[in-house]
DNA sequence: GTAGGGTTAG
């Protein structure tokens, strides 16, 4: 879990973004106009702006960013903009801090177009923002995932004699984190410490959040522990916020370290920070995902006892967990409870419960809920339709699914790629290839581009419905158009080819994996092994089994079952027993398919029963 | 009210 040895050796090869920023004014051709105005000294500006002229500008160096509509109800921003206009026209220039206040207001509201417009007008009026204004701009670029521009502005800052401070660097660290450049973020942090600029609780909070979001919660935890206990830290002087803790707990839970999440939760309380509905939510969600339903319920009750009102999200995650456990009646009870408590369910609540009913095959209950939504004035969304259509498809009620699709279109809900993927899967499974073809051809009418899943569904569907040529044609046309195919796509085609008896073509495709930049997965091998077995080529199947092991791809129960079925059908009992032993040695649990193979073996010849004695796991199961 | 972290659900 703790991936790296110590705090400041987190990442070794960080890109030297900082130096880079010192020498390059900007790394981006467009959207850099504002930055360009500010990285230069006034005397240079004339020269520079021509380089960074906005592509649509014909009149000069100023950037004609349109004013965004001012009718969105955000009075603060509108007031700020009106005030800004007034201030620019005043005879005596107001202090720069007044301008900064307005810039800050607009930046906080994330009205970036307005913000850039303001900056440009200031530059026009020869009012170059000083370092606070530039910090606002840097932070905005970072929020917009344009950290390179942030660095460019910092370069301009240095040039104009301002010293970037910890606020500047915190923004840049955030920017690197949101662009998923965690290594660079850590590198920058190390650098500023060497420069004598010391990070504070917000800087550390930024990094911890960034680490959690990028799937490095273990590192975040290590960092946190160092800050609280370690040499570089502050001990009790380090006072992270409730949000900081919520991020960390959530990150840990999402990566499966729920116990650590619980510890952090206690630590937080021990430091006098009271958890809120979000902190509880992060923990409850983590426990639900781990199947720790009782513990999740315990925290749920605990939070209510403490007077923390569960909100719609809290209920939704609990309803989802109950549905996944097959406890739809209890889930429905929770829905009633939330309504009783005055918490309004949203479309996610209903979609989740409907999905639970569908999973249990309770289509009528799902339908009833669907109908009741409209009756009770709850908004449906596209996902509501997707869930119910998926339920119908999974229960082979294709007519109901398609009727719902048409109803949805009549009501002007816009289908998504997922809608099509659900219906295509259903149609292929029901053998309705012609309907699937027609539906697929309609995707473009809805301005939808098939995604990788769509192609897998098609490749698989054509193959399984005796249309291998269509699958091959599709595959070839995708390759020709430069579409990057993944191993799942290829596995679907491989399986179809094998099932259609086109083993040569399958082998050819399998051999092309490396050239396509793909690594065969356990599914790939199982598919090929199955193909060879079905074709009676047991030796090839066995070789492939050995090959996958040598290449470090561990076979799973399906691989074992596939190969054993092959040998069993070929009356090679010793080989089956050998594989059974191998399975037992690796502590694989045989499943019902394994059992059927053994039963088959016994029915062929009772003398094989002596082999069964060798498999304790198996004989114990009775 | 001169700048920086920002969280839970299908």
């Amino acid at each position: 879990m703790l991936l790296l040895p110590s705090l400041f050796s987190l990442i070794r090869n960080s890109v030297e973004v900082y130096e880079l920023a010192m020498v390059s004014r900007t790394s981006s051709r467009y959207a850099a106009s504002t930055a360009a105005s500010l990285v230069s000294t006034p005397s240079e500006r004339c020269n520079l702006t021509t380089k960074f002229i906005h592509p649509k500008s014909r009149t000069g160096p100023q950037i004609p960013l349109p004013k965004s509509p001012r009718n969105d109800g955000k009075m603060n921003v509108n007031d700020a903009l009106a005030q800004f206009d007034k201030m620019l026209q005043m005879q005596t220039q107001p202090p720069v801090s007044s301008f900064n206040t307005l810039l800050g207001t607009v930046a906080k509201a994330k009205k970036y177009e307005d913000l850039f417009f303001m900056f440009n007008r200031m530059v026009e009026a020869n009012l170059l923002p000083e370092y606070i204004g530039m910090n606002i701009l840097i932070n905005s670029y970072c929020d917009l995932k344009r950290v390179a521009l942030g660095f460019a502005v910092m370069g301009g800052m240095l040039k104009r004699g301002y010293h970037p401070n910890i606020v500047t660097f915190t923004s840049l660290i955030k920017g690197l984190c949101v662009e998923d450049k965690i290594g660079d973020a850590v590198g920058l942090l190390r650098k500023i410490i060497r420069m004598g600029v010391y990070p504070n609780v917000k800087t550390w909070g930024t990094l911890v959040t960034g680490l959690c979001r990028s799937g490095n919660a273990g590192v975040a935890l290590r960092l946190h522990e160092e800050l609280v206990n370690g040499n570089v830290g502050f001990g009790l002087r380090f006072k992270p916020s409730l949000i900081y803790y919520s991020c960390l707990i959530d990150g840990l839970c999402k990566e499966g370290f729920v116990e650590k999440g619980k510890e952090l939760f206690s630590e937080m309380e021990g430091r006098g920070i009271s958890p809120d509905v979000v902190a509880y939510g992060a923990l409850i969600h983590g426990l639900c995902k781990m199947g720790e339903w009782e513990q999740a319920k315990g925290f749920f009750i605990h939070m209510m006892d403490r007077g923390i009102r569960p909100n719609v999200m809290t209920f939704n995650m609990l309803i989802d967990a109950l549905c996944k456990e097959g406890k739809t009646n209890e889930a429905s009870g929770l829905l009633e409870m939330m309504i009783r408590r005055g918490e309004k369910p949203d479309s996610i609540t209903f979609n989740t419960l409907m999905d639970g009913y569908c999973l249990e095959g309770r289509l009528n209950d799902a339908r009833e809920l669907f109908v009741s939504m409209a009756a009770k004035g709850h908004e449906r969304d596209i996902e509501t339709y997707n869930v119910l259509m998926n339920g119908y498809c999974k229960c082979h009620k294709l007519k109901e699914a398609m009727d719902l699709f048409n109803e949805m279109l009549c009501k002007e809900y816009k289908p998504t790629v997922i809608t099509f993927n659900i219906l295509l899967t259903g149609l292929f499974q029901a053998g309705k290839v012609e309907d699937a073809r027609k539906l697929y051809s309609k995707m473009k009418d809805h301005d939808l581009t098939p995604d990788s899943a769509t192609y897998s569904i098609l490749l698989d569907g054509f193959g399984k419905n005796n249309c291998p040529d269509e699958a091959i044609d599709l595959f070839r046309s995708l390759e020709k158009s430069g579409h990057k195919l993944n191993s799942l796509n290829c596995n679907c085609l491989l399986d179809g080819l094998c099932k259609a008896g086109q083993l040569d073509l399958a082998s050819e495709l399998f051999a092309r994996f490396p050239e396509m930049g793909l690594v065969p997965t356990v599914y790939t091998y199982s598919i090929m092994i199955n193909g060879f077995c079905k074709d009676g080529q047991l030796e090839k199947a066995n070789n492939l089994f050995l090959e996958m092991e040598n290449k470090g791809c561990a076979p799973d129960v399906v691989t074992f079952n596939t190969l054993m079925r092959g040998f069993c059908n070929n009356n090679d009992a010793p080989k089956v027993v050998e594989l059974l032993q191998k399975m037992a040695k690796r502590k694989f649990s045989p499943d019902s398919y394994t059992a059927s193979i053994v039963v088959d073996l016994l029915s062929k010849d009772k003398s094989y029963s002596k082999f069964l004695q060798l498999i304790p796991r198996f004989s114990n199961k009775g």
Side-chain angles (χ1 to χ4, degrees):
Chain A
M1 175 169 102
L2 299 173
L3 305 169
L4 299 159
S6 84
L7 173 60
F8 294 123
S9 58
L10 290 175
I11 311 284
R12 251 185 263 145
N13 300 318
S14 74
V15 174
E16 303 292 311
V17 270
Y18 182 76
E19 275 91 345
L20 210 85
M22 302 291 200
V23 293
S24 80
R25 292 189 174 113
T26 175
S27 61
S28 184
R29 262 189 65 232
Y30 56 99
S33 321
T34 306
S37 312
L38 297 174
V39 296
S40 52
T41 57
S43 58
E44 282 177 318
R45 219 182 318 140
C46 207
N47 199 13
L48 239 183
T49 40
T50 53
K51 271 193 194 168
F52 297 104
I53 191 161
H54 190 281
K56 285 185 184 154
S57 167
R58 268 188 271 129
T59 49
Q62 283 81 36
I63 310 94
L65 276 172
K67 293 183 190 185
S68 64
R70 304 277 169 80
N71 54 0
D72 54 3
K74 290 262 180 192
M75 283 309 291
N76 287 344
V77 174
N78 292 344
D79 291 349
L81 291 164
Q83 180 67 22
F84 183 77
D85 280 343
K86 264 190 241 161
M87 276 165 46
L88 276 181
Q89 283 158 22
M90 286 177 186
Q91 295 291 331
T92 343
Q93 206 70 254
V96 74
S97 64
S98 306
F99 282 101
N100 288 339
T101 306
L102 300 179
L103 292 170
T105 306
V106 177
K108 271 219 167 69
K110 301 198 184 301
K111 298 283 179 194
Y112 299 115
E113 291 213 334
D114 287 328
L115 185 72
F116 295 140
F117 184 74
M118 290 164 88
F119 273 112
N120 290 329
R121 289 193 59 195
M122 284 177 76
V123 174
E124 258 178 67
N126 254 326
L127 257 172
L128 284 191
E130 42 56 85
Y131 85 110
I132 290 186
M134 294 177 96
N135 273 341
I136 294 173
L137 184 62
I138 289 171
N139 189 52
S140 300
Y141 279 133
C142 290
D143 282 339
L144 289 168
K145 300 194 174 194
R146 303 299 301 270
V147 72
L149 292 177
F151 277 105
V153 175
M154 188 189 70
M157 215 168 171
L158 289 160
K159 230 170 171 178
R160 288 173 49 201
Y162 298 118
H163 293 286
N165 61 6
I166 190 58
V167 177
T168 322
F169 292 121
T170 302
S171 292
L172 291 168
I173 287 170
K174 173 181 67 176
L176 289 167
C177 286
V178 300
E179 287 189 20
D180 219 17
K181 295 171 177 162
I182 302 290
D184 293 341
V186 175
L188 178 58
L189 183 66
R190 295 169 63 173
K191 204 151 291 174
I192 66 170
I193 291 170
R194 263 187 263 128
M195 284 164 53
V197 179
Y198 289 100
N200 59 26
V201 65
K202 289 192 180 184
T203 321
W204 293 120
T206 304
L207 189 59
V208 166
T209 310
L211 286 166
C212 286
R213 283 198 179 147
S214 57
N216 293 295
V219 181
L221 177 63
R222 173 63 183 270
L223 173 55
H224 170 77
E225 283 167 351
E226 293 240 19
L227 290 167
V228 175
N229 311 312
N231 301 327
V232 290
F234 311 88
L236 286 173
R237 284 189 296 121
F238 183 63
K239 292 206 186 312
S241 65
L242 170 60
I243 293 175
Y244 167 98
Y245 270 109
S246 300
C247 286
L248 194 50
I249 292 167
D250 178 54
L252 288 166
C253 286
K254 284 221 168 84
E255 288 184 39
F257 308 125
V258 184
E259 282 307 311
K260 278 287 167 202
K262 278 160 67 184
E263 278 174 33
L264 261 293
F265 194 85
S266 307
E267 177 190 310
M268 175 180 81
E269 291 195 273
R271 297 179 121 226
I273 300 167
S274 302
D276 64 354
V277 62
V278 177
Y280 267 105
L283 202 52
I284 288 172
H285 182 237
L287 289 164
C288 286
K289 288 284 169 228
M290 294 294 285
E292 297 286 351
W293 167 241
E294 284 305 321
Q295 282 195 58
K297 199 156 93 182
F299 276 99
F300 179 63
I301 292 166
H302 193 229
M303 74 182 274
M304 288 194 292
D305 286 346
R306 292 175 73 172
I308 299 165
R309 274 177 70 95
N311 61 18
V312 60
M313 281 193 188
T314 326
F315 279 107
N316 287 351
M317 55 183 99
L318 289 167
I319 287 172
D320 183 49
L322 283 166
C323 286
K324 296 263 154 50
E325 295 241 326
K327 296 174 179 169
T328 39
N329 288 336
E330 280 184 56
S332 157
L334 263 187
L335 172 60
E336 282 166 27
M337 177 184 176
M338 73 186 283
I339 293 170
R340 246 192 346 265
R341 290 176 59 100
E343 199 60 55
K344 196 173 180 297
D346 61 9
S347 67
I348 294 179
T349 320
F350 287 101
N351 298 348
T352 307
L353 186 55
M354 269 174 50
D355 195 39
Y357 283 137
C358 289
L359 276 171
E360 285 197 332
R362 291 167 63 174
L363 268 304
N364 289 336
D365 290 319
R367 181 86 206 190
E368 202 176 290
L369 198 59
F370 178 82
V371 172
S372 79
M373 278 178 82
K376 290 176 186 162
H378 293 289
E379 288 273 327
R380 288 175 189 163
D381 58 20
I382 177 64
E383 187 70 9
T384 314
Y385 281 92
N386 284 349
V387 166
L388 193 54
M389 283 188 286
N390 188 44
Y392 281 132
C393 284
K394 289 281 174 307
C395 293
H396 306 106
K397 293 177 185 285
L398 266 300
K399 188 183 177 303
E400 284 86 343
M402 293 309 292
D403 286 349
L404 200 57
F405 179 62
N406 290 323
E407 176 191 322
M408 187 191 98
L409 295 181
C410 286
K411 294 189 176 172
E412 297 191 356
Y413 285 94
K414 279 174 78 77
T416 63
V417 175
I418 294 176
T419 314
F420 280 89
N421 289 352
I422 287 168
L423 292 172
L424 287 169
T425 306
L427 289 168
F428 276 119
Q429 268 170 8
K432 296 175 181 295
V433 183
E434 189 46 38
D435 289 346
R437 277 190 203 105
K438 273 191 202 146
L439 188 70
Y440 174 58
S441 71
K442 279 189 190 158
M443 281 184 83
K444 54 180 174 302
D445 301 344
H446 295 275
D447 285 326
L448 293 172
T449 312
D451 64 8
S452 165
T454 317
Y455 293 127
S456 287
I457 293 162
L458 292 165
L459 291 166
D460 179 78
F462 286 132
K464 288 211 168 61
N465 283 283
N466 246 332
C467 312
D469 294 343
E470 239 170 306
I472 294 166
D473 286 348
L474 174 63
F475 185 86
R476 288 195 176 137
S477 73
L478 287 172
E479 264 202 314
K480 211 171 157 191
S481 66
H483 188 92
K484 186 102 181 68
L485 290 146
N486 60 28
S487 57
L488 181 63
N489 297 143
C490 293
N491 290 346
C492 288
L493 180 59
L494 277 180
D495 199 34
L497 291 173
C498 287
K499 293 215 161 74
Q502 308 250 29
L503 220 50
D504 290 344
L505 278 176
S507 300
E508 208 179 291
L509 175 60
F510 178 72
R512 281 191 53 210
F513 263 57
E515 155 202 336
M516 295 170 76
L518 300 173
V519 180
T521 67
V522 60
Y523 288 90
T524 319
Y525 283 109
S526 297
I527 288 165
M528 290 306 294
I529 288 170
N530 189 41
F532 285 126
C533 285
K534 288 271 157 64
D535 199 51
Q537 305 191 47
L538 272 303
E539 204 183 316
K540 276 198 179 170
N542 198 49
N543 286 342
L544 213 48
F545 184 82
L546 297 174
E547 180 189 316
M548 72 187 284
E549 296 214 272
N550 285 336
K551 291 199 173 163
C553 177
D556 63 9
V557 180
V558 176
T559 326
F560 272 104
N561 285 344
T562 306
L563 191 57
M564 288 192 297
R565 171 51 73 192
F567 281 120
C568 179
N569 289 350
N570 207 38
N571 297 317
D572 192 344
K575 198 72 195 155
V576 177
V577 173
E578 187 192 313
L579 287 164
L580 280 169
Q581 284 171 317
K582 208 178 237 182
M583 267 182 96
K585 212 166 141 191
R586 296 188 190 181
K587 306 218 180 332
F588 270 119
S589 302
D591 62 11
S592 60
Y593 192 88
T594 324
S596 78
I597 294 167
V598 175
V599 169
D600 231 38
L601 205 64
L602 282 167
S603 72
K604 285 173 196 264
D605 191 331
K606 288 272 186 291
S607 69
Y608 290 146
S609 64
K610 68 171 184 281
F611 292 123
L612 282 182
Q613 311 297 316
L614 298 170
I615 324 292
R617 285 174 143 271
F618 224 78
S619 33
N620 287 346
K621 284 213 162 183

